[in-house]
Amino acid sequence: MIRPIEWANGKVRWLDVSKIPFEEVYHESNDLERLARAIENMEVRGAPAIGVFAALSLAAIAYNINTDNIDAFLNKIMEAANRLRRTRPTAYNLFWAIDRVLNRLKKEMLESRSIAKLKEAVVDEALRILYEDIEQNKRMGRHGATIINDGDVILTHCNTGALATAGYGTALGVIRAAWEQGKRIKVIATETRPLLQGARLTVWELVKEGIPVTLITDNMVGYVLSKGLADKVLVGADRILLSGHVINKIGTYTIAVLAHRHDVPFYAVAPTSTIDPKTKVEEVVIEERDPDEVRTVLKKIPITVPNVPVMNPAFDITPPELVTGIITEKGIVYPPYNETLRKIL
Ligand code: MRU
């Protein structure tokens, strides 16, 4: 199994997924600015992966602080947490993971003021987040595989695989689990403009596993669903609200509307660490990224007139009435989401 993020003796080691499938490059660092930039530049991306990476980054910073002054130690950790929180605004797992590490630190301080002990606790909590993510993905895979039939064609968007998590994946984890159970499924992957996570990452992962995949451009989804060429849609999520709104890669909403129009079941697959219990739909911050991502192919090949105004929202919001079910590590929840999601949390 691909393990894109790991703890390497006081440093974070990660696979630079911005270069996949052209190059397989790993980096290691314990430098706060370098780690924050890895998230901003999407060397690490996908909601669960960002959460795990931020937790390990905090651990690497804590591990390497050289002081016996507890206030100085805590200030450095808070500074790192604040910098990491500013990297990307939409994926809830980032904030969830940082809070979880800080809460563990707070709890530990009630027992001990030893910096060595506090460092140990921070590293331990970050590693728990890493291993739990893989475990939860496998559990989601088992729950999700129950709705997949032998012979199904599944349409998916963006990349929700090992490369978007600590390993195994969310929506792609369900596909992987169904395949491991011997179900002869096929996948249709959207290319996912502008950064091509579908074409570059999902296709790369599925080809490696031998799972049949067909690549389409994003604007072919209507054609594919209207022709009955897909049985189910499975996507991941960056944030799920208690109302059942699913915030995910730009283009997800379009696919959900089309799935509804053509009676194709539409599922979101995400761990409960993606469920945001507080934010209301009107408060969700959608990340707006560099316009050059739209004016070019992968910031290399220009495809339009220089400096033409562009929009580049990285995510959109799918309302609950378009979501057939939400697959989590605790089971599959169905509408009414404001009751079922609350219960599962
Ligand atoms: O901008 P990205 O590549 O970080 O966006 C990723 C997605 O939208 C994924 O669908 C989502 O994070 C779920 S990944 C398991």
Side-chain angles (χ1 to χ4, degrees), residues 306-319:
N307 298 326
V308 62
V310 302
M311 288 166 69
N312 190 12
F315 303 97
D316 60 24
I317 304 179
T318 298

Side-chain angles (χ1 to χ4, degrees), residues 42 45-48 88 158-160 164 170 197 237-238 248-249 315:
M42 295 179 62
R45 39 64 56 198
R88 294 190 77 192
C158 195
N159 171 263
T160 61
T170 59
Q197 290 92 328
D238 286 83
N248 191 47
K249 178 52 55 194
F315 303 97

Side-chain angles (χ1 to χ4, degrees), residues 5-20:
I5 307 166
E6 281 184 294
W7 178 247
N9 297 322
K11 291 186 174 179
V12 190
R13 177 178 152 82
W14 70 96
L15 172 62
D16 182 346
V17 305
S18 70
K19 297 193 161 58
I20 299 286

Side-chain angles (χ1 to χ4, degrees), residues 34-156:
R34 178 70 188 91
L35 293 164
R37 278 203 314 274
I39 301 178
E40 288 167 347
N41 299 340
M42 295 179 62
E43 294 173 25
V44 175
R45 39 64 56 198
I50 296 172
V52 168
F53 188 82
L56 287 184
S57 298
L58 272 184
I61 301 301
Y63 187 90
N64 291 291
I65 296 172
N66 199 358
T67 181
D68 20 355
N69 179 319
I70 190 143
D71 290 329
F73 175 76
L74 293 175
N75 281 341
K76 280 231 174 299
I77 293 190
M78 291 316 290
E79 186 192 309
N82 291 338
R83 174 69 183 96
L84 292 164
R85 278 187 214 276
R86 287 196 305 272
T87 51
R88 294 190 77 192
T90 308
Y92 186 65
N93 308 58
L94 172 71
F95 306 96
W96 172 88
I98 292 172
D99 286 345
R100 190 168 143 177
V101 172
L102 294 182
N103 283 337
R104 171 73 187 274
L105 183 62
K106 248 191 241 163
K107 199 171 143 219
E108 213 60 34
M109 281 176 54
L110 299 174
E111 322 243 308
S112 163
R113 304 282 290 176
S114 140
I115 290 182
K117 280 254 159 64
L118 297 180
K119 284 185 177 183
E120 220 173 87
V122 169
V123 174
D124 178 68
E125 195 65 23
L127 288 174
R128 277 173 199 269
I129 290 172
L130 170 85
Y131 293 119
E132 279 172 24
D133 185 65
I134 300 172
E135 197 39 54
Q136 287 171 348
N137 290 341
K138 292 195 172 160
R139 242 179 279 153
M140 268 186 288
R142 285 195 289 274
H143 289 303
T146 59
I147 59 120
I148 309 290
N149 298 320
D150 191 24
D152 268 356
V153 177
I154 299 160
L155 187 140
T156 191

Side-chain angles (χ1 to χ4, degrees), residues 143-157 171-172 174-175 178 183-190 216 221 224-235 255-256 258-260 262-269 322 324-325 327 332 334:
H143 289 303
T146 59
I147 59 120
I148 309 290
N149 298 320
D150 191 24
D152 268 356
V153 177
I154 299 160
L155 187 140
T156 191
H157 187 51
L172 226 53
V174 170
I175 289 167
K183 292 178 181 166
R184 286 157 296 176
I185 52 176
K186 289 184 181 153
V187 178
I188 296 177
T190 55
I216 59 170
V221 172
V224 166
L225 295 181
S226 70
K227 290 282 179 192
L229 299 176
D231 301 291
K232 275 158 199 131
V233 175
L234 256 60
V235 297
I255 298 173
L258 287 162
H260 191 254
H262 297 290
D263 279 329
V264 177
F266 176 97
Y267 290 89
V269 188
L322 300 180
T324 310
I327 299 167
I332 308 179
Y334 294 97

